[in-house]
Amino acid sequence: MAPLGILIIVATTIFPAFQLWSLPNVSDQVALFSQYLGLAALILMAWGQILATRLPGIETVFGGLDRVYVLHKWAGIIAMAAILLHDTIDAEMRDSGPETFLSELAETLGEMSLYGLLILVVISVATFVPYHLWKWTHKAMGALFAAGVFHFVFIMKPFAMGDPAGLYTGAFCAAGVLAYFWTLLPESLRPSKGYKISGLDKSGGALVVSMTPKGKGITPAAGQFGVLSFGAAGKSEPHPFSFSSIGPDGALRVTIKALGDFTTGLERGLAIGQDLRIQGPFGRFRLGEKAREVWVAGGIGITPFLAGAQALRAESGVVDLFYCIRSRDTAPHLEELQAMAEAKPNLRLHLMVSSEGQRVSADKIAEVVGDDLAKARVAFCGPVALREALRTGLARYGVSARQFHYEEFEFRTGVGLQRLAAWVLRRGLEVSRQARGS
């Protein structure tokens, strides 16, 4: 994630604290702190909605789209923690004015938003929930955020909406609600380019989809990906895929392994001549620079490196590509890669075939690359467990975290999320018991 983007979110979330602490004649500092937690939660949820839009400029400020989604996830989690504390710590302040119908309704909507978000956060971090259901929990979270905005606007508080604190947080609320409505738009109304399927093939058990633009297409760089919406019935849901080939005439290719609900059976819904839409390009996983590079691909993780190998120029640095496969028969695009390695002296292909007893490791990479390893840029695409093992192992050979590049496509996982889900559930039950006992 880009440090600038994180700094912006942190600074904008902390700023209301200074606005509240400058309020005159406020003696209940505990309630004031609870008020701040409510404002911080709203700002973080607004950022979560904004980050989910995939609008141009988001990646420039916050990093590649994969990191943007990780940041989106943690903004929501921290917001949920702030809401729980806000609800636990009494935020009611004396002399804040008489209750009205709108303020009572706002109080009710605030409670509904709290319990609804508790349930949806638990569902959203439960990786066993099917993707299409998980997606709708995120849509519902936006609606509950809007309920929280209503709670903020009309609840009794120690400042007016026209005061700096009200205007500042209100502006974020408005931006978040607009972003939420943007995400509700049909994919056909989002900025995208039209393509037509020009070829359907199989390679190593993976589906290879070739596409040509219907007009002016997108212009991705090697290593980038697009969000594809196929026109097939039941398969129009947008999904990200790395480009395995980028043609000079605008033609593109993706290589898809059946690994989940969406990709399983995708081949049966596609046909040559069918239309599709592509949003993008996205990602900061750039390949083929002039520096010395090491590429490590695990299985279908070869897709961005195929485009990288295709784009490799004679003046590019030497690249050692470690292709980790189960067997030669099940390796997508193996013959294509071997042909490119023969044609390009600066592309050195190393097959790691597990069925033949060959496995990649930091020691193996160091043995092959030699003294250049400490100065090389390492790019990885594959299973998380292998990535973490290599990142730790290569550090012993002088490869820093800044030299080790990868994209985080495991959007629904993260450090401690399962433990956090259990904690959120326990805390929600405690809040519910406290509410029934009061």
Side-chain angles (χ1 to χ4, degrees):
M1 284 171 277
L4 174 61
I6 296 175
L7 179 62
I8 290 172
I9 292 178
V10 170
T12 54
T13 305
I14 291 175
F15 186 68
F18 297 99
Q19 294 179 313
L20 292 185
W21 260 258
S22 65
L23 292 175
N25 304 319
V26 176
S27 58
D28 193 342
Q29 297 298 309
V30 174
L32 192 65
F33 176 65
S34 181
Q35 293 274 345
Y36 164 69
L37 289 172
L39 301 187
L42 284 169
I43 291 170
L44 285 169
M45 285 192 289
W47 273 120
Q49 296 298 325
I50 293 167
L51 292 171
T53 59
R54 300 198 297 263
L55 286 170
I58 293 288
E59 284 193 310
T60 303
V61 178
F62 297 99
L65 193 62
D66 60 314
R67 265 52 173 197
V68 168
Y69 277 121
V70 173
L71 189 56
H72 157 86
K73 174 177 62 182
W74 282 105
I77 289 169
I78 297 170
M80 191 69 250
I83 291 171
L84 285 169
L85 287 171
H86 169 71
D87 184 73
T88 303
I89 302 170
D90 187 8
E92 188 173 348
M93 308 186 75
R94 294 182 296 275
D95 303 323
S96 56
E99 290 284 341
T100 65
F101 168 75
L102 286 176
S103 65
E104 291 178 359
L105 178 59
E107 185 69 39
T108 302
L109 286 175
E111 291 294 321
M112 290 174 56
S113 177
L114 167 64
Y115 296 125
L117 285 169
L118 276 171
I119 294 169
L120 293 180
V121 165
V122 171
I123 292 174
S124 69
V125 298
T127 55
F128 58 82
V129 176
Y131 175 82
H132 65 280
L133 296 178
W134 173 85
K135 180 189 72 172
W136 285 109
T137 66
H138 270 54
K139 299 293 185 184
M141 278 186 187
L144 291 172
F145 164 65
V149 171
F150 186 94
H151 170 81
F152 162 68
V153 172
F154 293 105
I155 199 71
M156 304 307 298
K157 47 189 175 289
F159 55 87
M161 286 304 299
D163 292 341
L167 291 172
Y168 178 83
T169 305
F172 271 98
C173 289
V177 170
L178 287 173
Y180 171 57
F181 284 126
W182 173 263
T183 62
L184 293 179
L185 288 176
E187 292 296 326
S188 59
L189 297 181
R190 307 278 191 92
S192 62
K193 299 293 185 180
Y195 279 75
K196 190 177 291 290
I197 296 177
S198 57
L200 291 169
D201 300 289
K202 296 295 286 292
S203 179
L207 174 64
V208 182
V209 184
S210 301
M211 303 157 286
T212 54
K214 296 175 69 176
K216 183 180 180 182
I218 64 174
T219 54
Q224 289 192 294
F225 65 94
V227 177
L228 277 62
S229 299
F230 295 100
K235 295 296 181 181
S236 59
E237 190 176 80
H239 279 260
F241 294 103
S242 295
F243 298 113
S244 59
S245 177
I246 302 168
D249 57 351
L252 298 172
R253 185 185 72 185
V254 295
T255 304
I256 304 169
K257 192 79 170 177
L259 297 173
D261 296 338
F262 179 81
T263 51
T264 300
L266 178 62
E267 181 181 4
R268 293 192 298 271
L270 302 184
I272 293 176
Q274 216 166 54
D275 291 337
L276 70 150
R277 307 290 301 181
I278 302 181
Q279 299 174 41
F282 300 111
R284 293 291 186 269
F285 194 64
R286 302 302 175 85
L287 302 168
E289 306 294 336
K290 291 185 178 180
R292 181 77 163 85
E293 295 189 10
V294 175
W295 300 347
V296 184
I300 197 62
I302 193 63
T303 51
F305 299 117
L306 284 162
Q310 183 186 60
L312 204 62
R313 303 181 301 275
E315 61 270 23
S316 301
V318 175
V319 173
D320 281 287
L321 169 55
F322 294 83
Y323 188 12
C324 310
I325 54 178
R326 187 169 298 163
S327 67
R328 295 173 189 267
D329 293 339
T330 60
H333 301 291
L334 178 56
E335 293 183 1
E336 179 183 336
L337 267 175
Q338 290 173 324
M340 283 193 284
E342 289 180 6
K344 300 185 177 189
N346 53 348
L347 175 62
R348 307 196 302 204
L349 177 63
H350 311 281
L351 294 179
M352 300 284 107
V353 189
S354 60
S355 63
E356 299 175 10
Q358 303 163 347
R359 294 190 180 277
V360 74
S361 66
D363 295 337
K364 179 64 177 179
I365 293 173
E367 177 188 333
V368 171
V369 179
D371 295 338
D372 287 345
L373 181 57
K375 299 176 289 185
R377 179 184 184 272
V378 179
F380 176 89
C381 187
V384 175
L386 177 59
R387 181 185 78 201
E388 294 308 308
L390 289 179
R391 186 162 60 168
T392 302
L394 290 173
R396 300 196 306 269
Y397 292 96
V399 178
S400 67
R402 294 188 65 180
Q403 292 170 260
F404 193 95
H405 300 265
Y406 63 93
E407 285 192 315
E408 182 61 80
F409 279 113
E410 298 290 332
F411 296 151
R412 298 176 61 187
T413 63
V415 178
L417 280 184
Q418 291 182 344
R419 293 192 299 272
L420 180 63
W423 178 85
V424 168
L425 183 59
R426 288 197 304 272
R427 185 69 190 98
L429 292 174
E430 290 173 8
V431 170
S432 179
R433 283 196 295 267
Q434 291 173 4
R436 288 196 300 267
S438 60

